[in-house]
């Protein structure tokens, strides 16, 4: 079965290609070596980041970067793109030594579901009636050694379900904790105790949007904290 993340990325890339066409991927110089940008087309989640690189004759090139729609995607001086809101944008590299050489990457920013979490910042005062579910998400950069989702300190009972790229569902049950490497790439993790003390930790998480779903069995006064390290 084709993973939904692959389908979504393919769809995003196709949309970007349709919106911007091939012209953005055509070198502006009349003779080589040509400036290239990698990847030329990509789809990223809202709030996630993507590193672009520029080369000239297969060697790293000194360029300046600019986005044509900063409300959709921003880019810093090193080519690191941040998805701001759903939409499409072109991020262009201009060769410092020859401004006539331009090359663009076509990007589609995909909207994410749920309530945004900040790394290490607790969300307090959580509680719901029986059967209510609430979805949160956290953008995890590349190269982190672990990411953890901890619900604690309340009364009653609630469970948590964690998955990368697509929101999890409370109908799928997995081994408690899910501390093995990359479990979110293959499926979801859960913590389903009899109170509000629940925790899921993922070692070496893949970069991207990680979702945590809280399912209530009547609880109140709980705190949710999502943390990645280092």
């Amino acid at each position: 079965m084709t993973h939904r993340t692959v389908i979504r990325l393919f769809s995003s890339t196709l949309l970007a290609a349709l919106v911007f066409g091939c012209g953005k991927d055509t070198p502006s110089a009349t003779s080589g070596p040509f400036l290239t940008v990698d990847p030329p087309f990509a789809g990223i989640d809202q709030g996630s980041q993507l590193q672009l690189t520029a080369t000239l004759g297969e060697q790293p090139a000194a360029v300046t970067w600019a986005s044509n729609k900063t409300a959709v995607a921003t880019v810093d001086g090193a080519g690191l793109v941040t998805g701001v809101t759903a939409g499409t944008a072109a991020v262009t590299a201009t060769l410092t030594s020859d401004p006539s050489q331009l090359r663009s990457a076509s990007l589609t920013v995909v909207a994410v579901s749920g309530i945004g979490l900040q790394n290490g910042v607790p969300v307090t005062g959580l509680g719901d009636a029986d059967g209510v579910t609430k979805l949160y998400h956290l953008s995890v950069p590349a190269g982190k050694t672990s990411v953890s989702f901890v619900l604690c300190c309340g009364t009653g009972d609630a469970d948590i379900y964690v998955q990368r790229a697509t929101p999890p569902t409370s109908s799928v049950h997995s081994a408690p904790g899910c501390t093995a490497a990359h479990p979110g790439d293959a499926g979801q993790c859960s913590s389903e105790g009899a109170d509000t003390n629940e925790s899921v930790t993922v070692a070496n998480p893949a970069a991207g949007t990680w979702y945590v779903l809280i399912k209530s069995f009547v609880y109140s006064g709980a705190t949710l904290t999502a943390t990645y390290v280092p």
Side-chain angles (χ1 to χ4, degrees):
M1 179 183 293
T2 304
H3 197 283
R4 285 177 292 178
T5 304
V6 175
I7 294 174
R8 181 170 64 174
L9 181 56
F10 175 79
S11 298
S12 298
T13 302
L14 178 60
L15 177 59
L18 291 174
V19 170
F20 293 104
C22 297
K24 289 291 185 179
D25 200 38
T26 301
S28 55
T30 57
S31 62
F34 297 120
L35 180 66
T36 62
V37 170
D38 186 61
F41 300 98
I44 63 173
D45 285 339
Q46 180 182 352
S48 294
Q49 294 183 314
L50 173 70
Q51 181 64 59
L52 298 178
T53 59
T55 56
L56 183 69
E58 300 184 353
Q59 296 299 317
V63 299
T64 58
W65 296 94
S67 169
N68 73 330
K69 295 180 182 178
T70 55
V72 174
T74 61
V75 62
D76 67 11
L80 183 63
V81 174
T82 300
V84 178
T85 190
T88 55
V91 174
T92 301
T94 301
L95 191 63
T96 303
S97 61
D98 181 5
S100 69
Q101 287 226 43
L102 309 172
R103 200 67 177 268
S104 296
S106 297
L107 305 176
T108 297
V109 179
V110 181
V112 296
S113 305
I115 302 167
L117 298 171
Q118 298 181 47
N119 183 44
V121 178
V123 179
T124 62
L126 299 181
D128 271 309
D130 187 25
V132 175
T133 60
K134 191 165 290 183
L135 183 67
Y136 298 83
H137 64 82
L138 175 72
S139 179
V140 178
K144 301 306 175 183
T145 58
S146 70
V147 61
S148 62
F149 300 87
V150 178
L151 184 71
C152 77
C153 315
T155 59
D157 183 17
D159 296 336
I160 63 173
Y161 303 82
V162 172
Q163 185 166 258
R164 176 182 170 272
T166 54
T169 171
S170 61
S171 63
V172 176
H173 307 280
S174 58
C178 294
T179 55
H182 301 295
D185 289 343
Q188 70 178 45
C189 310
S190 64
S191 179
E192 301 173 300
D195 51 25
T196 57
N197 295 309
E198 310 290 355
S199 177
V200 167
T201 298
V202 180
N204 303 312
T209 300
W210 285 77
Y211 291 94
V212 55
L213 179 74
I214 302 178
K215 182 177 181 179
S216 172
F217 296 92
V218 184
Y219 78 110
S220 62
T223 297
L224 175 66
T225 307
T227 308
Y228 54 73
V229 293

